[in-house]
């Protein structure tokens, strides 16, 4: 088992940032990086480790985001209960999506389409149901305090995001270093061969999607706490699903540090384009697209693979 | 009887790949399935190991009816197959490849990785342990198939042409490995084209032609069986050979 020291070191180094910078912009950016890194990590547990590319992680993110918002607004519960329930609700959603796809052996683009369909159905439901505030969305009352998981300064949210990101790294490292990780890698590389060697592909993929969905749900609940506002597009829109997969693919799928690296690069790139174009809407998306094409073309293992020698034909060998 | 196959029939659309196949494998023996290309040998393994559901027939393993059971459950029961067209986990190292299989009976990562090392040693892959499986040559990939199957600690091992494509030196190296499995209480059913290896290794041979078993018995007897000779050399071949032999004897 590989040591967890690098993760501890990362958390320790990232901890004092709010004391080192007085800039709210820097802290905001860092918080967004950590949040998207965690969302990317959630995607990575399923897409990177198990090779099941989801195009609908918004389904899990949005379930978590709405679950805590509804619990706090409609039932008056505290934000911690809301947060825990958000994770559980997302886990349930993950189990549902997983069962619906893996039970029927849907793989590749079929799986991606099913996840997208779930996210879209959730978006349409959120848009029409009263409990989710329909198209108007949900607004959480401003009430700073630890029981409400609302903070008066940016540092509080930054540390909240750091805890989530570190938790995501620990989960990813734990899975990577145990039997589940070995089995997921086997399923990713060749599902039939894995089954021939006694791997219950359905069971391990279900475990992966449940962890993945739970973590994405936690990020959704964090989003709710940070912005105190949700609407169906913010929570369940395709934009969220794209953000979830873009970071890990740019940074490096299957590596526990890939999602963080990818999120950092993309956020900085987004800021740079905004500055250069004077804030033209969609300019950052164009920049993301260009980076994605370059990465996929020249570094199929992501940026994390840059320093690593790559087997010449590490992919597609079957004969 | 460790394995009993009865009335096994598999069709692909209009093509009958296996027709009413019956065979048995006794514990501790090395049995072989031979037959021309397209005879249905690989299909037979797929149907036994749970990768294909037969249209008719039964498969019994260790006294239990396992027809239609999924491969991962059969593997847990001790029945494992290798693939003729090798399927390495290309992005993983050789050790990690084997460890996936070792995890079937060992939860701990350390135990699985250690067992992987020992199994690799046995099939002469130890020097490649930390290399990516994608780098292996054909001979290496065949060894990896065998190593992974062994790491599941099976009772019955189905080997689909693990010697095909190897050079004579590599075959000579692998034969003792297969023969040695018996000492570990592993029963072997193998598909092989390399006839000399079949003759040297197996206790019993089953001949599959056009989806049907046409002969079975000790290897030396089977290669003299007219039905087998015709299957390989065409109709009338047995008679022709007999005549030639008589002529040669008379001269
Ligand atoms: N999945 C499949 N779909 C359709 N036909 C198949 C399939 N697998 C094998 N066959 C056909 O079944 C026959 C037996 O094939 P196979 O079992 O691979 O033979 P062998 O291993 O003896 O060379 C061949 O005619 C082959 O083309
Ligand atoms: Mg074959």
């Amino acid at each position: 088992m590989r040591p967890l020291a690098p993760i501890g070191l990362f958390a320790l180094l990232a901890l004092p940032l709010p004391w080192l910078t007085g800039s709210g912009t820097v802290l905001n950016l860092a918080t967004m990086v950590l949040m998207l890194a965690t969302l990317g990590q959630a995607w990575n547990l399923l897409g990177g480790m198990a090779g099941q590319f989801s195009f609908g992680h918004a389904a899990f993110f949005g379930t978590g985001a709405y679950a805590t918002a509804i619990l706090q607004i409609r039932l008056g519960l505290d934000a911690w209960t809301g947060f825990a329930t958000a994770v559980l609700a997302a886990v349930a959603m993950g189990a549902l999506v997983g069962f619906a796809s893996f039970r029927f052996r849907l793989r590749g683009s079929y799986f991606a389409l099913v996840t997208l369909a779930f996210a879209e159905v959730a978006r349409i439901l959120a848009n029409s149901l009263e409990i989710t505030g329909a198209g108007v969305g949900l607004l959480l009352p401003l009430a700073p305090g630890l029981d409400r998981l609302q903070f008066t300064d940016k540092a509080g949210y930054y540390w909240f995001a750091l805890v989530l990101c570190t938790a995501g790294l620990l989960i990813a490292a734990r899975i990577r270093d145990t039997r589940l990780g070995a089995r997921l890698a086997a399923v990713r590389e060749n599902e039939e061969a894995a089954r021939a060697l006694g791997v219950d592909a359905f069971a391990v993929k279900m475990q992966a999607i449940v962890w993945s969905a739970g973590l994405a749900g936690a990020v959704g609940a964090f989003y709710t706490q940070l912005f105190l506002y949700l609407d169906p597009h913010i929570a369940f829109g395709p934009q969220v699903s794209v953000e979830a997969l873009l970071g890990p693919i740019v940074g490096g799928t299957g590596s526990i540090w890939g999602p963080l690296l990818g999120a950092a690069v993309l956020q900085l790139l987004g800021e740079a384009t905004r500055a250069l174009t004077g804030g033209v809407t969609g300019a950052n998306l164009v920049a993301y697209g260009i980076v994605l094409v370059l990465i996929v073309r020249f570094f199929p293992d992501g940026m994390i693979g840059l320093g690593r020698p790559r087997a010449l034909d590490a992919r597609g060998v079957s004969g | 009887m460790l394995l009993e196959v009865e009335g096994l029939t598999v069709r692909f659309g209009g093509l009958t790949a296996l027709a009413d196949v019956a065979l048995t494998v006794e514990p501790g023996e090395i049995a072989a399935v031979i037959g021309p290309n397209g005879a249905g040998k690989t299909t037979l393994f797929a149907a036994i190991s749970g990768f294909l559901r037969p249209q008719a027939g039964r498969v019994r393993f260790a006294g239990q009816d396992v027809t239609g059971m999924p491969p991962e459950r059969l593997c847990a029961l001790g029945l494992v197959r290798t693939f003729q067209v090798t399927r390495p986990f290309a992005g993983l190292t050789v050790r990690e490849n084997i460890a996936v299989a070792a995890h079937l009976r060992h939860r701990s990562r350390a135990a699985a990785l250690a067992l992987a090392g020992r199994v690799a040693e046995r099939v002469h892959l130890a020097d490649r342990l930390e290399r990516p499986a994608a780098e292996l040559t054909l001979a290496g990939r065949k060894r990896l198939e065998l190593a992974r199957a062994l790491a599941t600690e099976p009772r019955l091992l189905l080997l689909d042409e693990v010697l095909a494509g190897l050079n004579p030196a590599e075959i000579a190296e692998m034969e003792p490995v297969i023969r040695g499995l018996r000492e570990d209480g592993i029963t072997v059913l193998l598909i092989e084209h390399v006839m000399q290896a079949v003759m040297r290794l197996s206790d019993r041979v089953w001949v599959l032609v056009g989806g049907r078993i046409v002969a079975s018995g000790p290897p030396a007897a089977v290669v003299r069986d007219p039905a087998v000779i015709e299957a390989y050399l065409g109709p009338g071949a047995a008679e022709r050979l007999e005549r030639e032999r008589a002529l040669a004897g008379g001269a």
Side-chain angles (χ1 to χ4, degrees):
Chain A
M1 185 165 300
R2 277 188 262 177
L4 301 177
I7 299 173
L9 190 67
F10 157 75
L12 214 62
L13 288 178
L15 196 66
L17 185 73
W19 297 310
L20 298 178
T21 175
S23 156
T25 316
V26 170
L27 219 47
N28 274 344
L29 185 67
T31 305
M32 289 313 284
V33 167
L34 291 173
M35 182 180 97
L36 290 174
T38 315
L39 183 61
Q41 190 71 272
W43 185 91
N44 190 39
L45 296 179
L46 183 63
M49 294 196 174
Q52 311 298 311
F53 279 37
S54 150
F55 206 75
H57 256 55
F60 313 133
F61 173 92
T63 299
Y66 268 109
T68 187
I70 289 170
L71 249 60
Q72 291 181 67
I73 296 171
R74 306 269 188 241
L75 302 179
L77 294 175
D78 68 292
W80 292 80
T81 310
F83 191 88
T85 311
V87 172
L88 290 180
V91 161
M93 187 68 167
L96 179 68
V97 175
F99 192 85
S101 357
F102 302 144
R103 189 75 194 79
F104 303 102
R105 303 250 159 83
L106 298 183
R107 303 188 212 173
S109 36
Y110 297 102
F111 173 68
L113 282 176
V114 168
T115 57
L116 175 63
F118 267 94
E120 282 297 287
V121 168
R123 187 176 63 78
I124 292 161
L125 282 179
N127 212 2
S128 43
L129 294 180
E130 203 183 316
I131 191 170
T132 52
V136 181
L138 290 177
L139 193 64
L140 265 79
L142 185 70
L146 200 58
D147 62 323
R148 296 248 139 222
L149 280 171
Q150 291 183 26
F151 306 95
T152 43
D153 59 346
K154 294 180 174 12
Y157 286 106
Y158 170 79
W159 283 317
F160 191 174
L162 181 58
V163 168
L164 285 184
C165 185
T166 307
L169 284 165
L170 288 171
I171 292 169
R174 169 90 187 140
I175 292 179
R176 177 197 63 190
D177 293 338
T178 52
R179 179 168 69 177
L180 178 58
R183 290 178 161 174
L184 291 175
V187 166
R188 175 190 70 212
E189 298 289 319
N190 192 316
E191 185 166 333
E192 304 259 280
R195 296 184 70 203
L197 299 173
V199 175
D200 186 340
F202 172 71
V204 297
K205 285 193 280 188
M206 284 301 286
Q207 287 179 67
I209 199 170
V210 156
W211 278 107
S212 177
L215 189 59
V219 178
F222 172 79
Y223 183 96
T224 300
Q225 300 304 131
L226 181 60
F227 293 101
L228 301 177
Y229 174 72
L230 281 183
D231 72 24
H233 189 76
I234 290 175
F236 289 117
Q239 174 103 27
V240 180
S241 301
V242 171
E243 298 254 30
L245 62 83
L246 213 49
I249 288 179
V250 167
T253 57
S255 142
I256 71 164
W257 296 102
L260 180 59
L261 182 64
V265 168
L266 289 173
Q267 282 303 299
L268 289 174
L269 190 73
E271 284 304 307
T273 22
R274 206 160 303 148
L276 283 175
T277 61
V280 176
T281 334
N284 61 333
L285 288 180
V286 174
Y288 288 179
I290 293 170
V291 168
L292 189 64
V293 168
L294 291 177
I295 291 279
V296 169
R297 170 67 185 81
F298 294 105
F299 312 107
D301 287 346
M303 305 186 85
I304 205 108
L306 287 184
R308 213 191 290 145
R310 211 161 70 79
L312 276 179
D313 51 352
R315 259 148 243 267
V317 175
S318 62
Chain B
M1 227 34 86
L2 187 59
L3 179 74
E4 288 177 79
V5 175
E6 223 178 74
L8 207 63
T9 301
V10 173
R11 285 184 214 100
F12 297 115
L15 177 96
T16 303
L18 293 177
D20 199 22
V21 167
L23 67 78
T24 54
V25 179
E26 283 172 42
E29 75 172 339
I30 298 182
V33 178
I34 63 169
N37 265 327
K41 303 180 297 294
T42 297
T43 305
L44 173 64
F45 271 22
I48 293 174
S49 60
F51 277 91
L52 270 179
R53 188 180 276 278
Q55 270 79 21
R58 302 267 117 214
V59 178
R60 294 176 69 79
F61 175 61
Q64 188 183 350
D65 188 339
V66 297
T67 319
M69 193 181 270
E72 60 271 16
R73 277 188 59 205
L74 272 165
C75 187
L77 287 178
L79 191 162
V80 69
R81 70 168 299 186
T82 65
F83 291 96
Q84 176 181 0
V85 178
T86 60
R87 299 182 181 198
F89 304 129
L92 309 186
T93 66
V94 168
R95 189 194 286 278
E96 288 166 341
N97 263 264
I98 307 172
V100 170
H103 269 308
L104 178 63
R105 309 203 195 278
H106 304 271
R107 172 175 281 275
S108 124
R109 191 96 188 103
L113 291 169
L115 176 59
R118 291 197 297 279
V119 174
E121 192 112 5
R122 189 158 175 189
V123 303
H124 309 291
L125 261 180
D127 57 330
R128 316 258 67 171
L129 263 175
E130 316 305 336
R131 306 299 310 168
E135 284 180 6
L136 292 176
T137 60
L138 176 67
R141 294 210 298 273
K142 296 271 182 183
R143 278 167 208 206
L144 181 58
E145 283 285 327
L146 176 58
R148 291 194 311 195
L150 281 180
T152 66
E153 300 172 58
R155 295 170 68 187
L156 176 62
L157 181 55
L158 307 185
L159 299 177
D160 196 347
E161 303 205 20
V162 284
L163 301 179
L166 306 197
N167 65 40
E170 290 163 340
I171 291 176
E173 200 177 35
M174 289 302 277
E175 271 188 36
V177 176
I178 296 172
R179 201 174 291 116
L181 297 175
R182 213 194 299 251
E183 274 114 71
D184 294 317
I186 301 173
T187 305
V188 178
L189 178 62
L190 52 86
I191 294 173
E192 208 40 86
H193 268 304
V194 184
M195 273 312 285
Q196 293 92 324
V198 171
M199 301 292 287
R200 284 193 294 261
L201 279 173
S202 50
D203 305 311
R204 178 192 281 272
V205 177
W206 301 84
V207 186
L208 190 66
V209 178
R212 295 172 188 279
I213 296 284
V214 298
S216 75
V222 160
V223 292
R224 279 202 206 92
D225 189 318
V228 177
I229 297 168
E230 307 227 330
Y232 275 90
L233 303 177
E239 213 178 300
R240 232 170 26 244
L241 277 182
E242 199 49 51
R243 238 184 293 127
E244 279 166 25
R245 201 172 291 145
L247 280 176

